[in-house]
Amino acid sequence: MRSRRRSSLLVPVLLCAVAVLVAGPAAASGDADGSDGLSAEVVRLYEEASEATQRYEEGRRAAETQRGRARRLERLLDRERQDVEVLRGEVGRIARAQYRSGGGLPHAVRMLLARNPDELMRGQRAVRQVGLTVDHTVGRSRRAETRLAADEARAASAWQALDRRNGELAGIKREIERKLKKAQGALQGRADASVAAGACRGSVRLDQPRTAFTQPWIPPVETYALSAGFGSGGDRWANRHTGQDFAVDIGTPVRAAGAGRVVKVACGGPFGIEVVVRHAGGYYTQYAHLAAATVDQGERVSVGQWVGQSGTTGNSTGPHLHFEVRLTPQAGSAVDPREWLAERGVRL
């Protein structure tokens, strides 16, 4: 009896274990297909890093402005102090002269010896005016010195506060960049695994920017530095370089240079992850060494629509986008993309 009961209790346990084992691969598969989240995280971190950099630069410029104001006020304060010292020296000289001449006696004697009331009044007015001028100048200088010192203290306090804030912003920026680097590494790792397997994971779907381009052709990335150009030599290519390289970080959104239809999404070979788009007029554009494709074969794309994220898959020495313009969808029919785009109003 006891053994039969124990056997009956083992049945649901074994069923649960089987369910867990069956669910395991499904969860892993969902994780693999969930590269959308990783790609989206890279894009989000790019935006956050850009915003943090912008805020940091704005704060740095504001701090420099306040620091300059504090320096100007310090120079004004120094000049005011010098003026006050000159005045104090002049007052001291007058006081010493009066002491040596017996106080105010010379003025009193001159007034006693005045030949007429007008001369007497002029002497009194002169003495009074000198005293008032000295008192007024000293008072004004002291007030100006006090005001400038207060302004200087406020300006110094302001730029010190801005410096502290900039230190905080720099810390936030570094943390975002650290997270971005980690996410980029994970995205590139998945891309390398796909290329090694020779099988694409499927396109990732990202929230497209709400931009409406009025021109029919645009550069394939928004911000870039040009690196290897069309026709250049190098030990990485069998003959000559067949496209234009754009030096950009891993995960940078790659845009369709013009409207068209996706005719190829591949994840193996020297180009790594690549997307090829056919355009009106029979031309094709290729976007290669990607970390992820964001479109599927057969899909129509509009100008500026994201077709992938840059990476360094395939025959690549570092993160960049390899961009080609071709006469056919296959390699070997490339034309100079810079000249081709320039003829269509796009200067790289």
Side-chain angles (χ1 to χ4, degrees):
M1 290 292 292
R2 187 173 299 170
S3 61
R4 285 200 299 272
R5 184 182 178 189
R6 187 174 298 164
S7 299
S8 63
L9 289 173
L10 283 172
V11 170
V13 173
L14 289 171
L15 288 173
C16 288
V18 170
V20 169
L21 289 172
V22 170
S29 174
D31 227 4
D33 295 337
S35 55
D36 301 48
L38 183 56
S39 292
E41 182 184 7
V42 171
V43 172
R44 178 181 60 80
L45 287 170
Y46 264 125
E47 293 172 352
E48 288 185 6
S50 175
E51 183 182 348
T53 300
Q54 183 178 353
R55 289 171 59 198
Y56 172 76
E57 288 301 318
E58 288 172 353
R60 184 186 58 77
R61 288 192 293 269
E64 285 300 319
T65 300
Q66 284 290 357
R67 189 178 286 109
R69 183 167 181 266
R71 288 178 185 139
R72 288 193 299 274
L73 286 168
E74 177 63 28
R75 288 194 293 270
L76 284 172
L77 189 56
D78 283 341
R79 286 199 294 271
E80 199 66 33
R81 286 170 181 151
Q82 291 169 8
D83 291 343
V84 170
E85 287 302 317
V86 169
L87 267 171
R88 285 174 178 164
E90 186 64 21
V91 170
R93 188 188 63 75
I94 293 170
R96 287 193 297 274
Q98 286 182 340
Y99 176 77
R100 286 194 299 270
S101 61
L105 183 60
H107 294 295
V109 168
R110 281 197 294 274
M111 285 187 285
L112 286 171
L113 296 176
R115 289 174 297 213
N116 54 60
D118 288 340
E119 192 174 338
L120 175 63
M121 293 298 293
R122 281 197 300 273
Q124 287 178 331
R125 279 197 300 273
V127 171
R128 186 166 59 251
Q129 190 62 39
V130 168
L132 288 172
T133 301
V134 170
D135 290 344
H136 174 71
T137 304
V138 170
R140 186 187 62 193
S141 296
R142 285 175 177 167
R143 288 192 299 273
E145 183 178 3
T146 301
R147 185 178 63 254
L148 282 171
D151 286 345
E152 182 197 30
R154 281 194 294 271
S157 176
W159 70 252
Q160 286 167 1
L162 283 168
D163 268 356
R164 286 194 297 272
R165 177 58 178 155
N166 284 348
E168 295 171 3
L169 287 173
I172 293 170
K173 183 171 173 286
R174 284 193 299 271
E175 179 61 16
I176 292 172
E177 288 170 347
R178 184 191 67 78
K179 291 179 180 177
L180 176 59
K181 187 175 181 180
K182 183 178 178 181
Q184 286 173 324
L187 182 64
Q188 184 62 43
R190 286 186 173 183
D192 290 337
S194 293
V195 171
C200 295
R201 289 177 175 271
S203 63
V204 298
R205 293 299 169 177
L206 302 175
D207 291 334
Q208 295 284 333
R210 294 181 180 178
T211 53
F213 293 96
T214 56
Q215 63 272 38
W217 299 97
I218 61 170
V221 284
E222 185 174 359
T223 304
Y224 56 86
L226 296 177
S227 48
F230 180 80
S232 59
D235 56 7
R236 306 289 295 181
W237 312 299
N239 297 303
R240 292 286 177 177
H241 194 227
T242 55
Q244 175 63 58
D245 286 352
F246 295 79
V248 288
D249 261 347
I250 294 170
T252 301
V254 174
R255 315 181 295 188
R261 185 182 295 276
V262 178
V263 296
K264 182 181 182 182
V265 177
C267 299
F271 289 116
I273 299 176
E274 61 170 317
V275 172
V276 178
V277 178
R278 185 184 188 280
H279 304 281
Y283 288 99
Y284 298 80
T285 55
Q286 180 209 30
Y287 313 83
H289 303 311
L290 302 175
T294 60
V295 289
D296 292 313
Q297 190 165 318
E299 183 178 339
R300 291 203 62 83
V301 293
S302 57
V303 58
Q305 181 177 333
W306 291 351
V307 296
Q309 289 176 283
S310 63
T312 181
T313 54
N315 186 12
S316 171
T317 56
H320 72 284
L321 167 69
H322 175 86
F323 175 72
E324 282 191 21
V325 177
R326 299 173 175 175
L327 301 176
T328 70
Q330 290 78 31
S333 61
V335 298
D336 189 337
R338 291 190 71 175
E339 290 183 3
W340 190 86
L341 284 173
E343 290 171 1
R344 288 154 180 78
V346 179
R347 299 283 178 183
L348 299 179

